[in-house]
Amino acid sequence: MTAGDEGDPVREAGEAAATLRERYDELTRIEERIADLGRDRIETAADAYRRAHRVLDQYEEDAVGTGDFGSYVQFRGEFGEAVDADDDALAADAFAAADEAVDKRRLSESDFAAAREALEPAGEYVDLLAARDEALDEYRAARKAAREARKALDARLDELREVADMADADLDADVDRLREPIEAYNDAVREAFEEFYKTASARELFSFLDRADGTPFVDADVPPTDLREYVAEYDAGEEPLPTLLEYADYSNSKLEHYVDDPGALRTAVAVHRTYIERLDAEPLTLDWPPAGGDELAYEIDELIPLVSRVAGDETVATLRSIRELARDEEYERLRRAAAVRDALDGSELDLLKRGVIHDRVREAERTLSVAEDVLAETKRE
C-alpha cells in the first residue's frame, strides 16, 4: 500500500478546502464591491485613468516649457477628452483636478507630476479590477487544488478502510514459523532446478515441463512447438539445453562435428534463446505470503511428485512439513498476520498496533465531507 502519512492526504485536503474557502470569500468580497459601485462605472473610470496617463506620458517631453506649441495644443485637446467625466462619474473630482493641474499657458514637469498625483484616486479602480482578476485566478487555482486533494483523500480513505479491515490480524503472531520453511524450500528448489536444467537432457526437461503444465497450481512455461519437435526428433535432444545453446554459437564447420543438421539446430534453438535462458524454478516455488490452508495443501500435493524428480529427499521433506503447517489449526492466524505485514508499510502497521486506525478512518471521512461541502458551496456558475 502507499507510504502511510507521508504527504498526508487528510491534512492536505483539509488545508486545500480552507484555502479554497478563503479565496472564494475574497473574490466574493471584491465582486460585491464592484457590483455596489457598478461594473460599467468602474471600467469607465479605469479606462479614463489609463488614457489620461498615456497622454501624459506621450506629450510630457514636447509640451513643457517653450517646447512645440502644436504639441501643447494637441496635448490639451487629447488630455481634456481623456478626463472629461460626468459629474456623477466615479473619481470625477480626480479627473477635474488633473485637468486643472495642466490648464495653463505654459507647462512644467511639476504640472505633469501634479496631474498624475491628482489622478491617483481614479487609479484605485484600475487596482480594483486587477485585484478581481487576481482573486479569480487564485480562486480557480485553489479550486483545482481542492478537487485534486479531495480525489487523493478519497483514494487514501479507501486505503485506510482496507487497513481497518485488517485490524483482526494478530500482529504478534510468530510468522517466522511459516516464513523460514517456505524460504528454505524455495531456495532449495531453485538450486535443485538449476542443476537439473544444466544436466538433464532437453527431452527430459521438456517432459518435466509438460507434466508440470498439466497441474492446475503449477504455471509451467512449456516450450514452443518447433523447439519441442526438434528436441524430440534429433539426437541433439539428448543434450542439456545449455549445451544446445552453446552449439548454436558454433560456426557451421565446428557444429557439423556435434549435430547431424546444423541448420535445423540453428532454426529451432537460436531463435528461442530467450525462452531457454529464462526457464527457472519459479513455477515450483511457494508464494509469500502463502495461500489459504486448503489451497496451499492442494498445491503442495501437486508439487511433491514434480519436486521429487528434480530435488533431493530433504527438499521434499521440507515441502511436506509446510503442508502439515497448512493443515494446522494455527495456520490461518499465522497466514493472516503474514499477509497483513506484507501488505502494509511501517506507518500503516503502526496505526494497527496503536489501535488508532478506526480514528484515522473517521478523521478522513470527516475531512472528506468538509472538502465536498466546500467544493459544493464555492462553485460558481
Side-chain angles (χ1 to χ4, degrees):
M1 299 186 71
T2 59
D5 293 335
E6 182 180 347
D8 183 9
V10 180
R11 173 180 54 78
E12 291 176 354
E15 292 176 351
T19 298
L20 173 58
R21 172 67 72 184
E22 292 173 0
R23 300 293 180 265
Y24 177 82
D25 289 346
E26 175 65 9
L27 177 59
T28 300
R29 182 188 67 78
I30 294 173
E31 289 187 330
E32 286 176 350
R33 186 181 176 205
I34 290 174
D36 289 342
L37 294 171
R39 175 86 187 200
D40 290 343
R41 297 176 71 219
I42 291 173
E43 290 181 346
T44 297
D47 288 343
Y49 173 87
R50 297 188 191 99
R51 287 198 307 271
H53 267 276
R54 284 198 297 270
V55 174
L56 290 171
D57 293 342
Q58 180 179 352
Y59 288 100
E60 181 173 9
E61 184 176 345
D62 294 334
V64 298
T66 58
D68 183 352
F69 181 72
S71 294
Y72 167 81
V73 173
Q74 192 168 359
F75 161 71
R76 285 297 296 129
E78 291 187 18
F79 190 76
E81 183 179 348
V83 297
D84 184 19
D86 295 337
D87 291 342
D88 63 346
L90 294 177
D93 292 343
F95 292 125
D99 192 39
E100 184 179 349
V102 293
D103 186 15
K104 300 178 180 180
R105 291 183 177 276
R106 185 173 179 178
L107 296 174
S108 66
E109 292 181 357
S110 63
D111 296 325
F112 277 78
R116 289 189 177 92
E117 183 176 355
L119 287 170
E120 286 182 3
E124 294 179 6
Y125 301 110
V126 175
D127 295 340
L128 182 59
L129 293 176
R132 190 266 180 187
D133 292 341
E134 182 179 355
L136 181 59
D137 288 343
E138 291 180 350
Y139 160 79
R140 288 170 174 166
R143 186 165 183 85
K144 179 181 179 181
R147 286 198 304 266
E148 292 174 350
R150 187 267 309 273
K151 183 178 180 181
L153 174 56
D154 201 27
R156 179 58 178 157
L157 180 55
D158 287 342
E159 293 176 351
L160 289 171
R161 285 169 174 160
E162 289 181 18
V163 176
D165 288 341
M166 300 179 188
D168 63 308
D170 180 4
L171 298 180
D172 294 324
D174 183 13
V175 297
D176 285 342
R177 285 184 57 196
L178 290 179
R179 185 191 305 276
E180 290 176 356
I182 288 176
E183 287 183 349
Y185 163 73
N186 285 343
D187 290 344
V189 80
R190 288 188 182 105
E191 183 178 347
F193 184 85
E194 183 177 0
E195 182 63 22
F196 178 68
Y197 172 82
K198 291 178 180 178
T199 59
S201 71
R203 288 176 188 169
E204 186 179 359
L205 177 57
F206 286 176
S207 174
F208 174 83
L209 293 175
D210 285 341
R211 181 174 177 183
D213 186 54
T215 58
F217 284 97
V218 181
D219 186 20
D221 194 2
V222 296
T225 301
D226 54 339
L227 178 59
R228 180 201 303 272
E229 291 175 350
Y230 175 81
V231 165
E233 296 172 5
Y234 287 82
D235 291 343
E238 292 295 331
E239 300 289 348
L241 279 179
T243 301
L244 297 184
L245 281 180
E246 183 180 347
Y247 286 170
D249 291 331
Y250 288 176
S251 64
N252 283 336
S253 58
K254 182 176 181 180
L255 188 55
E256 288 175 352
H257 297 291
Y258 295 91
V259 297
D260 296 334
D261 189 340
L265 182 137
R266 292 188 188 283
T267 300
V269 175
V271 297
H272 295 299
R273 178 179 295 274
T274 299
Y275 164 79
I276 295 171
E277 290 179 341
R278 75 165 182 251
L279 286 173
D280 57 29
E282 291 312 301
L284 304 177
T285 60
L286 299 177
D287 292 335
W288 183 264
D294 289 343
E295 182 178 339
L296 181 59
Y298 290 142
E299 180 180 359
I300 292 175
D301 284 342
E302 293 184 351
L303 282 173
I304 286 176
L306 293 172
V307 174
S308 297
R309 293 182 61 179
V310 300
D313 292 343
E314 184 176 350
T315 302
V316 176
T318 301
L319 192 55
R320 293 181 189 277
S321 72
I322 297 170
R323 184 176 61 184
E324 293 306 310
L325 277 173
R327 292 169 174 168
D328 191 283
E329 62 182 12
E330 285 289 291
Y331 175 78
E332 284 304 325
R333 183 175 68 89
L334 297 175
R335 188 197 68 82
R336 176 65 168 164
V340 169
R341 286 181 176 276
D342 186 74
L344 305 184
D345 64 21
S347 61
E348 291 167 334
L349 283 172
D350 183 62
L351 291 175
L352 287 183
K353 290 178 179 178
R354 292 190 291 117
V356 298
I357 180 58
H358 294 293
D359 292 337
R360 288 292 283 156
V361 169
R362 286 190 289 270
E363 179 188 3
E365 289 173 339
R366 287 193 298 269
T367 303
L368 181 60
S369 177
V370 169
E372 290 175 340
D373 288 345
V374 170
L375 282 166
E377 293 164 4
T378 60
K379 185 176 181 180
R380 290 166 58 89
E381 297 298 333

